[in-house]
Amino acid sequence: MTDTRATILVVEDEPEIRRFLRSALGAEGYKVVETGTVKRGVIDAASHKPDLAIVDLGLPDGEGLELIRKVRAWSPMPLIVLSARAGEAGKIAALDAGANDYVIKPFGIGELLARVRSALRSVVRPAGGGHVLKLGGTTIDLDARTATRDGAPLHLTPIEYRLLTSLARNTGTVITQGQLLREVWGPAHESDTHYLRIYAKQLRDKLEPDPLQPRYLITETGVGYRLVCD
Amino acid sequence: MPEHAQNTPLLRNWRGYLAALLAAVACTLTGYAMQPRFDLVNIAMVYLLPVVGIALLSSRGAAVFSAASSVILFDVLFVPPAGVLNIEDMQYLLTFAVMLLVGLAISSLRERARREESGRISHAIAAERERMRSTLLASISHDLRTPLSVMIGASTSLAEHGEQLPAAERRALALSVSRQAQAIAEQTEKVLQMTRFELGDLALQCDWNSIAEIAGPVLLRLREALAQHRLLVDIPGNLPLLRVDAPLIAQVIGNLLENAARHTPPGTVIQLKARMLEQAVEVAVEDNGPGLPDAVLERLFDRFREQRIGNTSGGVGLGLAICRTIVKLHGGGIHAMQRAGGGTRFAFTLPAEAAPQLPEENESTRP
């Protein structure tokens, strides 16, 4: 039988961190490829064609951001960033460079594995591709711009559709608020975060069973939003 | 600092010299009034007064200047022949020497008193710092040593006797290592953050946010910590947006909720409430636990409070100090009080500005 397990590339220079990543990812049934530098990481990403990469931001020969930009230039593979820095600016920089998600050190392995599973599930959709979103009892046809909730028609405004379309292009992935504002309202409104807050609330009121503790439209405080499908 | 203000001379810098000159002029006028009836020696004594006064109230330089200007005025205007500076008469050189000596003597006495005073104050400041440092060290060493002992003990048991132990036992040991490590990680983060605050190394990243949206992920993150309690959330949907640093406000809400969970018995109710006040939004975390005496409530937000509340591992008490710093940076206030029905209420306010305009979308949000 050929090896059908997902391959995960780990780019991390700390041997002790690599050790527990290797054992936990291996125990989950993933095939692990390890490397410790930006240079080797770029090469291994091309030669091993992993299904996902976990990238430490501080590597001995450069910034993990550099690796993310290089890999993102040719591959849509999910990239999860490990960062010791808790600052929101660092997370935003990594996401804008093309990372799909981030985990802050120190982290529990449960948290990392959940992100890995979610990232492997996430589907990258072409910008104009026709598709239908299913969020619990709500079905949204992003092309036809029709929606139903529990069988009854649900009205969404054009901006609400645009916002959902931007989020749905890469479900499970954190989209930064700057990116959403640029895509939905235009580059002039990049810092008008109140637009986002108001429309996020409207969407939650329409889509979420409990808008205060949302299941589908998740806020990454200070960073952006992610859309989670069942 | 106010301690220094009362310690600096009353007449600083040029003010001392100006006062010396004015006083000498006043003495001259007095001298003219006295001249018909008094000896020159007595008039000289009048000139001594400003020298004493300036030496007491101002700097050494001003005292010397006072003595010199007094002598020159006296000499020129009163010592015959009037109108000329008579420096040959040894008598009056002596007058000058005495005035100068008096001025310098008083000046140096005052200087010494001042040094002793400021030494006493800086000693008091150093003592306070030292007290704080040792409190911090004591708390940190307690907060680190206990979990480290557990971690070393549990992990060496696992490494050395893992095979002999039943699986459940192994798991329990590993979990206790991870719990204690988590505690240290949180504590380290708090100390680092407080240090950053104190260095002024943390600029707020404010943008428009809603309290409900900030609270959501916090409740998700603390699901486990709050699982033993009954949580009631009341955040009205019509609260205005606030210009705040969302991650920091999330931290305040999280710290207050964690505190409530940690210091009240399982099964009790914890409430997270928000409401609109006149110019601010108030967010409150209320519990119906045993409550805290007023004396403790007052000191809760102090940086490294010494007394531990009950027997719980409340950490260095940095959590609430961090909350207070964050809220203050936002121009709000935070306080703790006894709840009418028992328990404690922690509440903070955040100033509400005029809500920004939203461009109109032609369609209404409802069909």
Side-chain angles (χ1 to χ4, degrees), chain B residues 21 24-25 28 47 68-79:
Chain B
L21 200 62
V25 170
T28 306
Y47 274 103
S69 58
S70 289
V71 166
I72 291 171
L73 279 173
F74 176 67
D75 195 312
V76 169
L77 300 173
F78 293 98
V79 179

Side-chain angles (χ1 to χ4, degrees), chain A residues 18-113:
Chain A
R18 262 157 74 166
R19 186 197 315 280
F20 79 76
L21 287 179
R22 179 172 60 227
S23 89
L25 292 169
E28 281 285 294
Y30 300 116
K31 188 175 161 223
V32 182
V33 178
E34 297 171 47
T35 183
T37 62
V38 172
K39 213 170 135 213
R40 289 291 323 165
V42 174
I43 294 168
D44 287 342
S47 59
H48 288 272
K49 299 258 182 322
D51 299 280
L52 178 146
I54 297 174
V55 182
D56 182 38
L57 276 191
L59 293 164
D61 64 330
E63 283 281 316
L65 279 184
E66 193 187 325
L67 184 144
I68 289 168
R69 280 194 206 97
K70 282 184 178 155
V71 172
R72 188 50 84 230
W74 57 267
S75 166
M77 80 170 78
L79 299 168
I80 298 178
V81 162
L82 298 183
S83 166
R85 280 157 267 179
E88 272 61 39
K91 300 176 194 170
I92 291 174
L95 293 168
D96 281 342
N100 298 62
D101 210 340
Y102 54 85
V103 179
I104 301 298
K105 288 177 182 175
F107 53 88
I109 199 70
E111 187 189 349
L112 178 72
L113 291 176

Side-chain angles (χ1 to χ4, degrees), chain A residues 86 88 106 155-160 177 185 193-195 197-202 204-206 212-213 219 221-222 225, chain B residues 185 207-210 212-214 216-217 219-220 233 235 237 241 246-247 250 356-359 361 363-367:
Chain A
E88 272 61 39
H155 177 77
L156 299 177
T157 71
I159 285 184
E160 288 167 355
Q177 46 195 39
W185 284 277
T193 48
H194 56 289
Y195 293 9
R197 307 297 172 227
I198 290 165
Y199 277 92
K201 178 179 184 308
Q202 280 178 201
R204 285 193 178 120
D205 286 343
K206 293 179 184 181
L212 192 60
Q213 299 194 52
T219 306
T221 307
Y225 291 85
Chain B
D207 56 23
W208 292 102
N209 283 284
S210 90
E213 199 174 357
I214 292 174
L219 296 173
L220 190 71
V233 181
I235 303 178
L241 293 178
Q357 288 292 312
L358 192 70
E361 201 178 349
E363 290 189 44
S364 68
T365 54
R366 295 273 163 213

Side-chain angles (χ1 to χ4, degrees), chain B residues 147-201:
Chain B
L148 283 173
S149 310
V150 175
M151 287 164 67
I152 293 174
S155 58
T156 47
S157 304
L158 276 175
E160 285 159 29
H161 312 286
E163 282 117 54
Q164 291 108 286
L165 294 171
E169 194 68 25
R170 283 204 300 269
R171 193 177 139 74
L173 285 173
L175 279 178
S176 85
V177 172
S178 87
R179 257 199 311 274
Q180 301 296 332
Q182 211 100 45
I184 292 180
E186 279 164 25
Q187 197 59 36
T188 311
E189 206 42 60
K190 282 179 184 164
V191 171
L192 281 177
Q193 194 178 20
M194 200 67 215
T195 314
R196 276 197 297 261
F197 278 137
E198 283 182 356
L199 294 174
D201 197 16

